[in-house]
Every structure is written in C-alpha cells, then in structure tokens.
Amino acid sequence: MKSGPGPSARRARTLVRLSVSSASPGFTLLELAVVIFIMGLMLTLALPYLGGFREAALKSQARRLAGRATFMFDEATGHKLVLRLIFDLDNNGYAAAQLDPYAVQPVFAPDNSMSGKPVMLPAAIRIRDVTIEGIGTVNRGVVATNFYPEGYVDATVVHLEDASGDVMTLEFSPLTGQVAIISGDVMPQGMTR
C-alpha cells in the first residue's frame, strides 16, 4: 500500500506556496527611500565636479589661444615673417594671416596651413574683449595683433568669458611673445580699456 507524503513534506509544500504567493510585485517604501538616499548622496558628491567641467572648458580654450599666439611668435621670428592674429568678436573666433613679402603690394592673406586654420569658440565661451596697445579695447567687430620678424608682438590682452561669467585673461608679452594666462578679469598696468 502506497501512502501519501508525510506531514513534514506537506508542511514544506505549504510554506513554499505561502512564500511564493505572499511576494508582492512592487517596492516597499523603505526600499524606495534607500534608493533615493543613495542617488542624492551620489549627486551631492558629483555636483562640485560638474562646475569643474565648465571651468575646464574655459581653461582649455585659453590654453589653445595661448598656444596659437606662442607658435605665431616663433614662426614670425624664425621665418622672418609678419603674421597677424585676427580676432572676430562678432563671430566668436580667431584666425591667422600672413603678409606676403614678395607681392608687389604686400597684403595680409589668410594662412591656409594646418596651424593657421580659423578657430571658432564653443557657444558657451566667448571673446569678451581684446585690448591692443595703440588701438584700445574692442568688444565688437574685428581687430588684429601683429607678430613681427624682429622678435616682438603688439602688447595685447584678451578676455575670454564663459556662460556663468567666469573670465580668463590672456596677456601677450611684447618682447618675449610669451602668453600669461590669468584667472579673473585683469588689466595689466600701463594698458587702458
């Protein structure tokens, strides 16, 4: 004679059925609170670094412009050329031009080399103003600074500004061609706006 499952087997099956049937298809309030707390903690830790990305973009564009100016100074003195860095404040960019010394009437022509390609700044960063000794401060239109074959450049100060109002100042040294990058809105002594 065959007997059915014993009482312990029946109890185990009943417990399995109870545990399966009592599982709800949602989250408890405690589980949701823990997830929201963890997300808030992660956001609190990451938020200071998000502002750093914006500042990093401004610094990157300042270094890019400084590198271009230093390269042009070296090219002008090394190849005995007159080069011009043209700032287009209305279109938020800059480009290089070279004086053709062999032309009948020398004029500046765009530099079509790889290093002379026009640069357009990102929308969040703009050239606020350019101050050139002897010309003054320009905040609209086109203005240019020259690099001479004798080894000097027009004394120039450029202010780059991002969308939040942070400013980087670039100061071109007329005798060495070095470009100082200064955080903040600075105007060197001797230069007037």
Side-chain angles (χ1 to χ4, degrees):
M1 175 156 92
K2 213 172 189 190
S3 68
S8 62
R10 271 184 265 152
R11 220 177 299 135
R13 260 191 261 134
T14 306
L15 286 176
V16 169
R17 265 191 242 125
L18 286 176
S19 65
V20 170
S21 64
S22 67
S24 63
F27 297 104
T28 66
L29 188 58
L30 180 63
E31 291 170 331
L32 289 174
V34 168
V35 168
I36 290 172
F37 173 76
I38 291 171
M39 289 174 54
L41 184 64
M42 289 173 44
L43 185 62
T44 302
L45 294 174
L47 201 56
Y49 296 106
L50 295 177
F53 289 131
R54 185 185 66 244
E55 187 177 324
L58 181 61
K59 286 181 181 178
S60 174
Q61 291 301 322
R63 285 191 300 265
R64 185 178 186 188
L65 176 55
R68 172 70 63 96
T70 302
F71 176 77
M72 290 179 69
F73 181 84
D74 293 341
E75 284 291 299
T77 55
H79 295 283
K80 301 300 180 202
L81 299 169
V82 177
L83 299 176
R84 179 174 279 178
L85 185 57
I86 304 166
F87 297 96
D88 186 351
L89 284 83
D90 294 337
N91 293 315
N92 202 33
Y94 54 90
Q98 175 180 335
L99 186 68
D100 182 7
Y102 303 110
V104 176
Q105 288 187 326
V107 293
F108 281 96
D111 185 357
N112 294 323
S113 69
M114 287 300 291
S115 61
K117 289 186 349 184
V119 174
M120 300 307 293
L121 296 177
I125 298 170
R126 70 181 183 97
I127 303 171
R128 191 188 72 193
D129 59 54
V130 177
T131 303
I132 301 174
E133 191 172 22
I135 296 174
T137 301
V138 177
N139 55 18
R140 291 187 4 218
V142 177
V143 67
T145 188
N146 294 319
F147 297 82
Y148 301 98
E150 295 83 13
Y152 62 95
V153 60
D154 294 334
T156 305
V157 175
V158 180
H159 290 111
L160 297 180
E161 183 176 42
D162 68 9
S164 68
D166 292 334
V167 177
M168 293 294 266
T169 302
L170 288 85
E171 179 185 359
F172 296 26
S173 173
L175 298 177
T176 63
Q178 296 298 312
V179 180
I181 302 173
I182 306 161
S183 183
D185 188 355
V186 178
M187 185 57 74
Q189 290 183 346
M191 298 283 286
T192 58
R193 290 185 193 247

PDB file of all heavy atoms in Angstrom, residues 143-177:
ATOM      1  N   VAL A 143      39.501  92.836 -34.896  1.00  0.00           N
ATOM      2  CA  VAL A 143      40.725  93.521 -34.504  1.00  0.00           C
ATOM      3  C   VAL A 143      41.861  92.514 -34.630  1.00  0.00           C
ATOM      4  O   VAL A 143      41.641  91.312 -34.524  1.00  0.00           O
ATOM      5  CB  VAL A 143      40.612  94.112 -33.076  1.00  0.00           C
ATOM      6  CG1 VAL A 143      40.509  93.022 -32.041  1.00  0.00           C
ATOM      7  CG2 VAL A 143      41.746  95.057 -32.779  1.00  0.00           C
ATOM      8  N   ALA A 144      43.078  93.018 -34.877  1.00  0.00           N
ATOM      9  CA  ALA A 144      44.203  92.104 -35.090  1.00  0.00           C
ATOM     10  C   ALA A 144      45.426  92.566 -34.315  1.00  0.00           C
ATOM     11  O   ALA A 144      45.646  93.753 -34.107  1.00  0.00           O
ATOM     12  CB  ALA A 144      44.534  92.022 -36.571  1.00  0.00           C
ATOM     13  N   THR A 145      46.208  91.590 -33.899  1.00  0.00           N
ATOM     14  CA  THR A 145      47.502  91.847 -33.278  1.00  0.00           C
ATOM     15  C   THR A 145      48.581  91.272 -34.185  1.00  0.00           C
ATOM     16  O   THR A 145      48.384  90.217 -34.791  1.00  0.00           O
ATOM     17  CB  THR A 145      47.562  91.261 -31.851  1.00  0.00           C
ATOM     18  OG1 THR A 145      48.757  91.682 -31.230  1.00  0.00           O
ATOM     19  CG2 THR A 145      47.485  89.761 -31.848  1.00  0.00           C
ATOM     20  N   ASN A 146      49.687  91.987 -34.318  1.00  0.00           N
ATOM     21  CA  ASN A 146      50.743  91.592 -35.253  1.00  0.00           C
ATOM     22  C   ASN A 146      51.942  90.986 -34.532  1.00  0.00           C
ATOM     23  O   ASN A 146      52.316  91.426 -33.444  1.00  0.00           O
ATOM     24  CB  ASN A 146      51.202  92.801 -36.073  1.00  0.00           C
ATOM     25  CG  ASN A 146      50.115  93.309 -36.986  1.00  0.00           C
ATOM     26  OD1 ASN A 146      49.389  92.545 -37.596  1.00  0.00           O
ATOM     27  ND2 ASN A 146      49.980  94.620 -37.060  1.00  0.00           N
ATOM     28  N   PHE A 147      52.562  90.019 -35.202  1.00  0.00           N
ATOM     29  CA  PHE A 147      53.797  89.389 -34.744  1.00  0.00           C
ATOM     30  C   PHE A 147      54.864  89.762 -35.767  1.00  0.00           C
ATOM     31  O   PHE A 147      54.696  89.506 -36.961  1.00  0.00           O
ATOM     32  CB  PHE A 147      53.637  87.868 -34.677  1.00  0.00           C
ATOM     33  CG  PHE A 147      52.591  87.434 -33.692  1.00  0.00           C
ATOM     34  CD1 PHE A 147      51.243  87.430 -34.034  1.00  0.00           C
ATOM     35  CD2 PHE A 147      52.952  87.041 -32.422  1.00  0.00           C
ATOM     36  CE1 PHE A 147      50.284  87.034 -33.132  1.00  0.00           C
ATOM     37  CE2 PHE A 147      51.992  86.648 -31.507  1.00  0.00           C
ATOM     38  CZ  PHE A 147      50.654  86.640 -31.864  1.00  0.00           C
ATOM     39  N   TYR A 148      55.956  90.344 -35.308  1.00  0.00           N
ATOM     40  CA  TYR A 148      56.949  90.918 -36.209  1.00  0.00           C
ATOM     41  C   TYR A 148      58.200  90.034 -36.300  1.00  0.00           C
ATOM     42  O   TYR A 148      58.567  89.351 -35.352  1.00  0.00           O
ATOM     43  CB  TYR A 148      57.331  92.325 -35.731  1.00  0.00           C
ATOM     44  CG  TYR A 148      56.137  93.245 -35.677  1.00  0.00           C
ATOM     45  CD1 TYR A 148      55.462  93.474 -34.477  1.00  0.00           C
ATOM     46  CD2 TYR A 148      55.670  93.872 -36.822  1.00  0.00           C
ATOM     47  CE1 TYR A 148      54.363  94.306 -34.422  1.00  0.00           C
ATOM     48  CE2 TYR A 148      54.567  94.712 -36.776  1.00  0.00           C
ATOM     49  CZ  TYR A 148      53.925  94.924 -35.584  1.00  0.00           C
ATOM     50  OH  TYR A 148      52.824  95.745 -35.531  1.00  0.00           O
ATOM     51  N   PRO A 149      58.911  90.103 -37.446  1.00  0.00           N
ATOM     52  CA  PRO A 149      60.097  89.258 -37.633  1.00  0.00           C
ATOM     53  C   PRO A 149      61.267  89.643 -36.725  1.00  0.00           C
ATOM     54  O   PRO A 149      62.163  88.833 -36.504  1.00  0.00           O
ATOM     55  CB  PRO A 149      60.449  89.458 -39.105  1.00  0.00           C
ATOM     56  CG  PRO A 149      59.750  90.687 -39.539  1.00  0.00           C
ATOM     57  CD  PRO A 149      58.575  90.862 -38.642  1.00  0.00           C
ATOM     58  N   GLU A 150      61.245  90.830 -36.185  1.00  0.00           N
ATOM     59  CA  GLU A 150      62.337  91.272 -35.312  1.00  0.00           C
ATOM     60  C   GLU A 150      62.234  90.661 -33.919  1.00  0.00           C
ATOM     61  O   GLU A 150      63.119  90.843 -33.086  1.00  0.00           O
ATOM     62  CB  GLU A 150      62.346  92.809 -35.192  1.00  0.00           C
ATOM     63  CG  GLU A 150      62.653  93.520 -36.492  1.00  0.00           C
ATOM     64  CD  GLU A 150      61.423  93.687 -37.380  1.00  0.00           C
ATOM     65  OE1 GLU A 150      60.265  93.474 -36.920  1.00  0.00           O
ATOM     66  OE2 GLU A 150      61.608  94.022 -38.562  1.00  0.00           O
ATOM     67  N   GLY A 151      61.130  89.974 -33.629  1.00  0.00           N
ATOM     68  CA  GLY A 151      61.000  89.297 -32.351  1.00  0.00           C
ATOM     69  C   GLY A 151      60.157  90.023 -31.331  1.00  0.00           C
ATOM     70  O   GLY A 151      60.467  89.993 -30.152  1.00  0.00           O
ATOM     71  N   TYR A 152      59.112  90.667 -31.761  1.00  0.00           N
ATOM     72  CA  TYR A 152      58.180  91.253 -30.802  1.00  0.00           C
ATOM     73  C   TYR A 152      56.762  91.167 -31.342  1.00  0.00           C
ATOM     74  O   TYR A 152      56.542  90.872 -32.516  1.00  0.00           O
ATOM     75  CB  TYR A 152      58.555  92.693 -30.418  1.00  0.00           C
ATOM     76  CG  TYR A 152      58.544  93.696 -31.536  1.00  0.00           C
ATOM     77  CD1 TYR A 152      57.420  94.478 -31.765  1.00  0.00           C
ATOM     78  CD2 TYR A 152      59.652  93.891 -32.347  1.00  0.00           C
ATOM     79  CE1 TYR A 152      57.405  95.411 -32.780  1.00  0.00           C
ATOM     80  CE2 TYR A 152      59.645  94.826 -33.365  1.00  0.00           C
ATOM     81  CZ  TYR A 152      58.519  95.576 -33.583  1.00  0.00           C
ATOM     82  OH  TYR A 152      58.504  96.491 -34.593  1.00  0.00           O
ATOM     83  N   VAL A 153      55.819  91.399 -30.448  1.00  0.00           N
ATOM     84  CA  VAL A 153      54.392  91.321 -30.774  1.00  0.00           C
ATOM     85  C   VAL A 153      53.711  92.539 -30.163  1.00  0.00           C
ATOM     86  O   VAL A 153      54.195  93.099 -29.181  1.00  0.00           O
ATOM     87  CB  VAL A 153      53.781  89.992 -30.224  1.00  0.00           C
ATOM     88  CG1 VAL A 153      53.933  89.893 -28.729  1.00  0.00           C
ATOM     89  CG2 VAL A 153      52.326  89.837 -30.609  1.00  0.00           C
ATOM     90  N   ASP A 154      52.609  92.954 -30.752  1.00  0.00           N
ATOM     91  CA  ASP A 154      51.830  94.044 -30.164  1.00  0.00           C
ATOM     92  C   ASP A 154      51.382  93.638 -28.762  1.00  0.00           C
ATOM     93  O   ASP A 154      50.912  92.508 -28.554  1.00  0.00           O
ATOM     94  CB  ASP A 154      50.587  94.338 -31.015  1.00  0.00           C
ATOM     95  CG  ASP A 154      50.926  94.889 -32.391  1.00  0.00           C
ATOM     96  OD1 ASP A 154      52.008  95.491 -32.545  1.00  0.00           O
ATOM     97  OD2 ASP A 154      50.105  94.718 -33.319  1.00  0.00           O
ATOM     98  N   ALA A 155      51.533  94.539 -27.786  1.00  0.00           N
ATOM     99  CA  ALA A 155      51.060  94.252 -26.430  1.00  0.00           C
ATOM    100  C   ALA A 155      49.549  94.077 -26.479  1.00  0.00           C
ATOM    101  O   ALA A 155      48.822  94.978 -26.893  1.00  0.00           O
ATOM    102  CB  ALA A 155      51.442  95.389 -25.488  1.00  0.00           C
ATOM    103  N   THR A 156      49.106  92.889 -26.081  1.00  0.00           N
ATOM    104  CA  THR A 156      47.696  92.528 -26.249  1.00  0.00           C
ATOM    105  C   THR A 156      47.170  91.858 -24.985  1.00  0.00           C
ATOM    106  O   THR A 156      47.872  91.074 -24.349  1.00  0.00           O
ATOM    107  CB  THR A 156      47.536  91.559 -27.437  1.00  0.00           C
ATOM    108  OG1 THR A 156      48.114  92.151 -28.606  1.00  0.00           O
ATOM    109  CG2 THR A 156      46.086  91.220 -27.700  1.00  0.00           C
ATOM    110  N   VAL A 157      45.923  92.171 -24.653  1.00  0.00           N
ATOM    111  CA  VAL A 157      45.219  91.497 -23.562  1.00  0.00           C
ATOM    112  C   VAL A 157      43.876  91.017 -24.112  1.00  0.00           C
ATOM    113  O   VAL A 157      43.129  91.789 -24.712  1.00  0.00           O
ATOM    114  CB  VAL A 157      44.995  92.441 -22.358  1.00  0.00           C
ATOM    115  CG1 VAL A 157      44.151  91.764 -21.286  1.00  0.00           C
ATOM    116  CG2 VAL A 157      46.324  92.892 -21.788  1.00  0.00           C
ATOM    117  N   VAL A 158      43.597  89.734 -23.906  1.00  0.00           N
ATOM    118  CA  VAL A 158      42.346  89.130 -24.372  1.00  0.00           C
ATOM    119  C   VAL A 158      41.593  88.594 -23.158  1.00  0.00           C
ATOM    120  O   VAL A 158      42.184  87.931 -22.301  1.00  0.00           O
ATOM    121  CB  VAL A 158      42.619  87.974 -25.361  1.00  0.00           C
ATOM    122  CG1 VAL A 158      41.320  87.346 -25.836  1.00  0.00           C
ATOM    123  CG2 VAL A 158      43.447  88.451 -26.541  1.00  0.00           C
ATOM    124  N   HIS A 159      40.302  88.873 -23.096  1.00  0.00           N
ATOM    125  CA  HIS A 159      39.461  88.332 -22.038  1.00  0.00           C
ATOM    126  C   HIS A 159      38.494  87.323 -22.651  1.00  0.00           C
ATOM    127  O   HIS A 159      37.723  87.666 -23.542  1.00  0.00           O
ATOM    128  CB  HIS A 159      38.667  89.438 -21.332  1.00  0.00           C
ATOM    129  CG  HIS A 159      39.519  90.324 -20.492  1.00  0.00           C
ATOM    130  ND1 HIS A 159      39.765  91.633 -20.818  1.00  0.00           N
ATOM    131  CD2 HIS A 159      40.189  90.092 -19.344  1.00  0.00           C
ATOM    132  CE1 HIS A 159      40.555  92.166 -19.903  1.00  0.00           C
ATOM    133  NE2 HIS A 159      40.830  91.242 -19.002  1.00  0.00           N
ATOM    134  N   LEU A 160      38.564  86.079 -22.157  1.00  0.00           N
ATOM    135  CA  LEU A 160      37.612  85.040 -22.531  1.00  0.00           C
ATOM    136  C   LEU A 160      36.635  84.879 -21.376  1.00  0.00           C
ATOM    137  O   LEU A 160      37.027  84.875 -20.215  1.00  0.00           O
ATOM    138  CB  LEU A 160      38.318  83.711 -22.786  1.00  0.00           C
ATOM    139  CG  LEU A 160      39.315  83.658 -23.933  1.00  0.00           C
ATOM    140  CD1 LEU A 160      39.918  82.260 -24.036  1.00  0.00           C
ATOM    141  CD2 LEU A 160      38.680  84.047 -25.248  1.00  0.00           C
ATOM    142  N   GLU A 161      35.351  84.712 -21.703  1.00  0.00           N
ATOM    143  CA  GLU A 161      34.322  84.614 -20.669  1.00  0.00           C
ATOM    144  C   GLU A 161      33.408  83.442 -20.983  1.00  0.00           C
ATOM    145  O   GLU A 161      33.058  83.213 -22.150  1.00  0.00           O
ATOM    146  CB  GLU A 161      33.522  85.920 -20.628  1.00  0.00           C
ATOM    147  CG  GLU A 161      32.470  85.981 -19.561  1.00  0.00           C
ATOM    148  CD  GLU A 161      31.781  87.342 -19.534  1.00  0.00           C
ATOM    149  OE1 GLU A 161      31.476  87.887 -20.613  1.00  0.00           O
ATOM    150  OE2 GLU A 161      31.556  87.843 -18.426  1.00  0.00           O
ATOM    151  N   ASP A 162      33.013  82.697 -19.935  1.00  0.00           N
ATOM    152  CA  ASP A 162      32.074  81.605 -20.161  1.00  0.00           C
ATOM    153  C   ASP A 162      30.664  82.039 -19.791  1.00  0.00           C
ATOM    154  O   ASP A 162      30.440  83.170 -19.359  1.00  0.00           O
ATOM    155  CB  ASP A 162      32.504  80.320 -19.429  1.00  0.00           C
ATOM    156  CG  ASP A 162      32.424  80.425 -17.920  1.00  0.00           C
ATOM    157  OD1 ASP A 162      31.888  81.425 -17.410  1.00  0.00           O
ATOM    158  OD2 ASP A 162      32.906  79.501 -17.252  1.00  0.00           O
ATOM    159  N   ALA A 163      29.706  81.140 -19.960  1.00  0.00           N
ATOM    160  CA  ALA A 163      28.292  81.472 -19.766  1.00  0.00           C
ATOM    161  C   ALA A 163      27.969  81.870 -18.331  1.00  0.00           C
ATOM    162  O   ALA A 163      27.025  82.619 -18.097  1.00  0.00           O
ATOM    163  CB  ALA A 163      27.427  80.287 -20.192  1.00  0.00           C
ATOM    164  N   SER A 164      28.747  81.407 -17.362  1.00  0.00           N
ATOM    165  CA  SER A 164      28.464  81.747 -15.967  1.00  0.00           C
ATOM    166  C   SER A 164      29.148  83.038 -15.527  1.00  0.00           C
ATOM    167  O   SER A 164      29.016  83.456 -14.381  1.00  0.00           O
ATOM    168  CB  SER A 164      28.894  80.599 -15.050  1.00  0.00           C
ATOM    169  OG  SER A 164      30.287  80.477 -15.054  1.00  0.00           O
ATOM    170  N   GLY A 165      29.915  83.673 -16.421  1.00  0.00           N
ATOM    171  CA  GLY A 165      30.573  84.930 -16.087  1.00  0.00           C
ATOM    172  C   GLY A 165      32.006  84.793 -15.630  1.00  0.00           C
ATOM    173  O   GLY A 165      32.642  85.788 -15.304  1.00  0.00           O
ATOM    174  N   ASP A 166      32.546  83.567 -15.566  1.00  0.00           N
ATOM    175  CA  ASP A 166      33.956  83.380 -15.217  1.00  0.00           C
ATOM    176  C   ASP A 166      34.822  83.924 -16.355  1.00  0.00           C
ATOM    177  O   ASP A 166      34.490  83.743 -17.531  1.00  0.00           O
ATOM    178  CB  ASP A 166      34.278  81.905 -14.987  1.00  0.00           C
ATOM    179  CG  ASP A 166      33.605  81.361 -13.737  1.00  0.00           C
ATOM    180  OD1 ASP A 166      33.321  82.151 -12.823  1.00  0.00           O
ATOM    181  OD2 ASP A 166      33.366  80.138 -13.688  1.00  0.00           O
ATOM    182  N   VAL A 167      35.935  84.575 -16.009  1.00  0.00           N
ATOM    183  CA  VAL A 167      36.788  85.227 -17.003  1.00  0.00           C
ATOM    184  C   VAL A 167      38.215  84.705 -16.889  1.00  0.00           C
ATOM    185  O   VAL A 167      38.722  84.492 -15.786  1.00  0.00           O
ATOM    186  CB  VAL A 167      36.781  86.766 -16.811  1.00  0.00           C
ATOM    187  CG1 VAL A 167      37.716  87.456 -17.786  1.00  0.00           C
ATOM    188  CG2 VAL A 167      35.368  87.308 -16.949  1.00  0.00           C
ATOM    189  N   MET A 168      38.855  84.506 -18.039  1.00  0.00           N
ATOM    190  CA  MET A 168      40.285  84.199 -18.116  1.00  0.00           C
ATOM    191  C   MET A 168      40.923  85.329 -18.916  1.00  0.00           C
ATOM    192  O   MET A 168      40.406  85.741 -19.951  1.00  0.00           O
ATOM    193  CB  MET A 168      40.540  82.874 -18.819  1.00  0.00           C
ATOM    194  CG  MET A 168      40.039  81.670 -18.053  1.00  0.00           C
ATOM    195  SD  MET A 168      40.903  81.394 -16.542  1.00  0.00           S
ATOM    196  CE  MET A 168      42.119  80.270 -17.063  1.00  0.00           C
ATOM    197  N   THR A 169      42.054  85.842 -18.411  1.00  0.00           N
ATOM    198  CA  THR A 169      42.774  86.920 -19.073  1.00  0.00           C
ATOM    199  C   THR A 169      44.036  86.354 -19.693  1.00  0.00           C
ATOM    200  O   THR A 169      44.780  85.626 -19.044  1.00  0.00           O
ATOM    201  CB  THR A 169      43.152  88.014 -18.054  1.00  0.00           C
ATOM    202  OG1 THR A 169      41.947  88.495 -17.427  1.00  0.00           O
ATOM    203  CG2 THR A 169      43.871  89.163 -18.719  1.00  0.00           C
ATOM    204  N   LEU A 170      44.271  86.677 -20.964  1.00  0.00           N
ATOM    205  CA  LEU A 170      45.495  86.293 -21.658  1.00  0.00           C
ATOM    206  C   LEU A 170      46.278  87.560 -21.953  1.00  0.00           C
ATOM    207  O   LEU A 170      45.753  88.486 -22.575  1.00  0.00           O
ATOM    208  CB  LEU A 170      45.193  85.560 -22.963  1.00  0.00           C
ATOM    209  CG  LEU A 170      44.658  84.141 -22.811  1.00  0.00           C
ATOM    210  CD1 LEU A 170      43.169  84.147 -22.612  1.00  0.00           C
ATOM    211  CD2 LEU A 170      45.026  83.326 -24.013  1.00  0.00           C
ATOM    212  N   GLU A 171      47.520  87.606 -21.504  1.00  0.00           N
ATOM    213  CA  GLU A 171      48.367  88.777 -21.698  1.00  0.00           C
ATOM    214  C   GLU A 171      49.569  88.393 -22.562  1.00  0.00           C
ATOM    215  O   GLU A 171      50.367  87.547 -22.179  1.00  0.00           O
ATOM    216  CB  GLU A 171      48.839  89.298 -20.345  1.00  0.00           C
ATOM    217  CG  GLU A 171      49.737  90.496 -20.448  1.00  0.00           C
ATOM    218  CD  GLU A 171      50.288  90.934 -19.095  1.00  0.00           C
ATOM    219  OE1 GLU A 171      49.961  90.319 -18.072  1.00  0.00           O
ATOM    220  OE2 GLU A 171      51.056  91.907 -19.097  1.00  0.00           O
ATOM    221  N   PHE A 172      49.673  89.006 -23.737  1.00  0.00           N
ATOM    222  CA  PHE A 172      50.783  88.742 -24.657  1.00  0.00           C
ATOM    223  C   PHE A 172      51.939  89.662 -24.285  1.00  0.00           C
ATOM    224  O   PHE A 172      51.796  90.883 -24.321  1.00  0.00           O
ATOM    225  CB  PHE A 172      50.386  89.050 -26.100  1.00  0.00           C
ATOM    226  CG  PHE A 172      49.287  88.202 -26.674  1.00  0.00           C
ATOM    227  CD1 PHE A 172      48.321  87.598 -25.888  1.00  0.00           C
ATOM    228  CD2 PHE A 172      49.208  88.020 -28.034  1.00  0.00           C
ATOM    229  CE1 PHE A 172      47.317  86.834 -26.429  1.00  0.00           C
ATOM    230  CE2 PHE A 172      48.205  87.250 -28.594  1.00  0.00           C
ATOM    231  CZ  PHE A 172      47.248  86.660 -27.801  1.00  0.00           C
ATOM    232  N   SER A 173      53.083  89.096 -23.954  1.00  0.00           N
ATOM    233  CA  SER A 173      54.264  89.890 -23.627  1.00  0.00           C
ATOM    234  C   SER A 173      54.893  90.383 -24.928  1.00  0.00           C
ATOM    235  O   SER A 173      55.257  89.590 -25.779  1.00  0.00           O
ATOM    236  CB  SER A 173      55.267  89.048 -22.852  1.00  0.00           C
ATOM    237  OG  SER A 173      56.469  89.765 -22.683  1.00  0.00           O
ATOM    238  N   PRO A 174      55.057  91.713 -25.099  1.00  0.00           N
ATOM    239  CA  PRO A 174      55.535  92.236 -26.372  1.00  0.00           C
ATOM    240  C   PRO A 174      56.971  91.842 -26.719  1.00  0.00           C
ATOM    241  O   PRO A 174      57.301  91.711 -27.894  1.00  0.00           O
ATOM    242  CB  PRO A 174      55.405  93.747 -26.235  1.00  0.00           C
ATOM    243  CG  PRO A 174      55.162  94.022 -24.810  1.00  0.00           C
ATOM    244  CD  PRO A 174      54.722  92.767 -24.161  1.00  0.00           C
ATOM    245  N   LEU A 175      57.820  91.614 -25.733  1.00  0.00           N
ATOM    246  CA  LEU A 175      59.230  91.332 -26.018  1.00  0.00           C
ATOM    247  C   LEU A 175      59.556  89.851 -26.129  1.00  0.00           C
ATOM    248  O   LEU A 175      60.431  89.462 -26.901  1.00  0.00           O
ATOM    249  CB  LEU A 175      60.123  91.981 -24.958  1.00  0.00           C
ATOM    250  CG  LEU A 175      60.030  93.500 -24.890  1.00  0.00           C
ATOM    251  CD1 LEU A 175      60.901  94.036 -23.765  1.00  0.00           C
ATOM    252  CD2 LEU A 175      60.415  94.124 -26.221  1.00  0.00           C
ATOM    253  N   THR A 176      58.859  89.029 -25.359  1.00  0.00           N
ATOM    254  CA  THR A 176      59.184  87.604 -25.370  1.00  0.00           C
ATOM    255  C   THR A 176      58.179  86.767 -26.146  1.00  0.00           C
ATOM    256  O   THR A 176      58.459  85.628 -26.491  1.00  0.00           O
ATOM    257  CB  THR A 176      59.242  87.046 -23.936  1.00  0.00           C
ATOM    258  OG1 THR A 176      57.945  87.157 -23.338  1.00  0.00           O
ATOM    259  CG2 THR A 176      60.276  87.800 -23.102  1.00  0.00           C
ATOM    260  N   GLY A 177      57.005  87.306 -26.395  1.00  0.00           N
ATOM    261  CA  GLY A 177      55.975  86.554 -27.092  1.00  0.00           C
ATOM    262  C   GLY A 177      55.269  85.548 -26.213  1.00  0.00           C
ATOM    263  O   GLY A 177      54.361  84.854 -26.658  1.00  0.00           O
TER     264      GLY A 177
END
